[in-house]
Amino acid sequence: MNANPPHDGRPGRIETDVAIIGAGPIGLFAVFELGLLDLKCHLVDILDRPGGQCTELYPEKPIYDIPGIPIVTGQELTDRLLEQIKPFHSQFHFSEMASSLTKLADGRWLLTTDAGTEIAAPVIVIAAGGGSFVPKRPPIPGIEAYEGNSVHYAVRKMEQFRGKDVLIAGGGDSALDWTLNLAPLAKKLTLVHHRDGFRAAQHSVNRMRELVNEGKIDFHVASVKALHGAGGALEAVTLQSPDKKEWRHEANAFLPFFGLTIKLGPLADFGLNLHENLIPVDTAKFESTTPGIFAIGDINTYPGKLKLILSGFHEGALMAQAAFKICKPNEKLRFQYTTSSSSLQKKLGVS
Ligand SMILES: Cc1cc2nc3c(=O)[nH]c(=O)nc-3n(C[C@H](O)[C@H](O)[C@H](O)COP(=O)(O)OP(=O)(O)OC[C@H]3O[C@@H](n4cnc5c(N)ncnc54)[C@H](O)[C@@H]3O)c2cc1C
């Protein structure tokens, strides 16, 4: 894997078979399916690392429905996908947003990023999930000063919270899941929510209430009104109950989980006949209504669509077959199994 490689070919312009927008699990597996067909890929992602939602939102949470892998965390799945696509030497452009797409005179597409990278390719694969997701910031004055230091919108490393006074706010799955996961590590863990009702899975809510009854965590019906500390290091917060009583609560880590705002961003302007911010595709090729532009994973829509990783893997396999016909119109596509094809095994470096 090469991150942000120098441009090749014409100065300032990269030439490749397929440009993939999004290095989430589906963009990564697409590299594998395309690689088996000798198609070279460049991937662009706004984030600074691969994995999409898996590494951004739940790196340490287990996934149980990846075929053949009974349990794998978001980070482990990403690591395994990266291992699987290693033989294909795809090139990554991290921390860059795909910002425009134009048709070249020779029929190929030109994808441009906000960093000025230009990628010319006959096939564009949009694997952009829900677009770029940004956590909703609670309306607490001065919270920006604590972000990344004491205020976190995602848990990258659970160990970071060991021995801390942790305050979690929210009533959805993220708030409840992290309450349960961090309770054993934190010195003290407090959950606050503005009402005594939750959107999270009932079994998580039940478990949280058990922990409260056992005296292992605290729960308050309250909102966070102010943060107190210095230099980005949180010392305490002001909590307010529904009847407007306020009190000071010691905390040195604050995790607000108020949901995510998904911003489709520039993809909305790619002329793709969007339906509720999703790209309609056919289910034979997963091509959009614009020839040569495919959409796989959470970003697409079709009758019966399930936003599951395994669905996106399937979509990537069919997309690759169609992409081959565009990239290599004069070559015959042979269906082969990795188990028995020596030519596929050679590509994978296993023969
Ligand atoms: C808490 C949680 C638990 C989940 N558990 C499961 C589970 O158990 N099983 C399961 O199958 N699924 C699960 N999912 C859903 C699963 O994570 C998604 O279906 C999967 O991540 C979709 O992959 P993707 O590659 O299509 O999109 P994403 O993972 O969203 O990746 C898209 C990537 O595209 C990038 N991007 C977007 N727009 C641009 C742009 N303009 N330029 C550059 N880059 C861009 C984003 O930065 C992102 O990295 C879960 C989701 C969550 C939030």
Side-chain angles (χ1 to χ4, degrees):
M1 168 174 106
N2 295 323
N4 299 346
H7 296 172
D8 58 16
R10 268 186 32 207
R13 182 173 292 181
I14 294 162
E15 315 269 332
T16 189
D17 294 316
V18 180
I20 301 177
I21 303 172
I26 309 312
L28 294 180
F29 190 65
V31 170
F32 182 80
E33 290 295 332
L34 291 161
L36 287 181
L37 305 181
D38 283 328
L39 299 177
K40 300 269 169 281
C41 305
H42 278 250
L43 295 94
V44 175
D45 204 298
I46 310 163
L47 299 176
D48 58 3
R49 61 184 168 276
Q53 293 173 48
C54 293
T55 44
E56 188 62 13
L57 299 182
Y58 57 101
E60 299 190 15
K61 274 176 81 165
I63 309 171
Y64 299 100
D65 57 352
I66 302 299
I69 311 178
I71 176 169
V72 66
T73 65
Q75 184 63 56
E76 283 163 357
L77 177 65
T78 303
D79 292 344
R80 286 183 184 215
L81 287 166
L82 289 171
E83 181 68 25
Q84 195 168 19
I85 64 174
K86 231 183 204 165
F88 302 117
H89 307 291
S90 50
Q91 310 231 304
F92 288 81
H93 305 268
F94 290 122
S95 306
E96 294 189 34
M97 177 186 285
S99 52
S100 79
L101 193 57
T102 49
K103 187 114 178 157
L104 294 170
D106 62 9
R108 292 182 303 162
W109 293 100
L110 184 67
L111 178 69
T112 309
T113 75
D114 60 352
T117 303
E118 289 188 342
I119 307 173
V123 168
I124 302 291
V125 173
I126 304 180
S132 35
F133 33 87
V134 280
K136 284 187 194 156
R137 176 184 279 154
I140 304 169
I143 190 168
E144 299 89 336
Y146 296 91
E147 286 171 356
N149 188 349
S150 315
V151 171
H152 305 271
Y153 299 103
V155 177
R156 296 254 160 76
K157 270 256 149 278
M158 282 167 56
E159 274 304 315
Q160 184 182 358
F161 300 99
R162 185 177 290 281
K164 296 222 165 143
D165 274 350
V166 177
L167 176 70
I168 293 181
D173 279 315
S174 297
L176 270 286
D177 285 358
W178 286 120
T179 295
L180 302 182
N181 285 321
L182 294 179
L185 275 81
K187 182 169 118 205
K188 179 165 189 257
L189 191 140
T190 305
L191 173 68
V192 293
H193 187 39
H194 64 94
R195 63 189 176 98
D196 194 6
F198 297 88
R199 295 181 316 280
Q202 194 53 47
H203 61 87
S204 306
V205 178
N206 294 345
R207 182 67 195 129
M208 180 276 290
R209 292 200 194 280
E210 279 168 22
L211 291 179
V212 172
N213 290 337
E214 291 163 14
K216 293 189 174 145
I217 64 169
D218 287 333
F219 168 62
H220 299 292
V221 177
S223 308
V224 179
K225 285 287 150 194
L227 306 180
H228 310 286
L234 186 68
E235 289 159 17
V237 303
T238 299
L239 294 179
Q240 188 189 63
S241 64
D243 57 1
K244 308 285 180 220
K245 283 198 189 103
E246 291 195 351
W247 70 98
R248 190 180 159 99
H249 175 92
E250 307 290 310
N252 47 22
F254 174 37
L255 286 76
F257 291 111
F258 293 156
L260 297 168
T261 310
I262 304 282
K263 290 204 176 138
L264 193 57
L267 299 181
D269 306 322
F270 283 10
L272 293 170
N273 188 23
L274 295 182
H275 178 69
E276 292 179 353
N277 276 349
L278 298 168
I279 303 173
V281 289
D282 68 81
T283 50
K285 297 185 285 190
F286 296 94
E287 196 169 24
S288 71
T289 49
T290 306
I293 302 183
F294 295 78
I296 57 175
D298 279 12
I299 191 78
N300 73 14
T301 179
Y302 53 86
K305 166 74 182 182
L306 283 181
K307 285 192 184 183
L308 284 177
I309 294 167
L310 71 88
S311 313
F313 288 169
H314 159 81
E315 294 161 13
L318 268 66
M319 170 281 295
Q321 304 279 310
F324 179 90
K325 289 175 192 152
I326 295 174
C327 295
K328 302 185 188 261
N330 302 322
E331 288 184 31
K332 202 167 152 36
L333 181 61
R334 277 200 306 133
F335 176 77
Q336 301 177 86
Y337 289 125
T338 54
T339 335
S340 43
S341 160
S342 53
S343 100
L344 291 186
Q345 288 167 5
K346 200 164 158 208
K347 289 175 200 177
L348 293 169
V350 292
S351 64

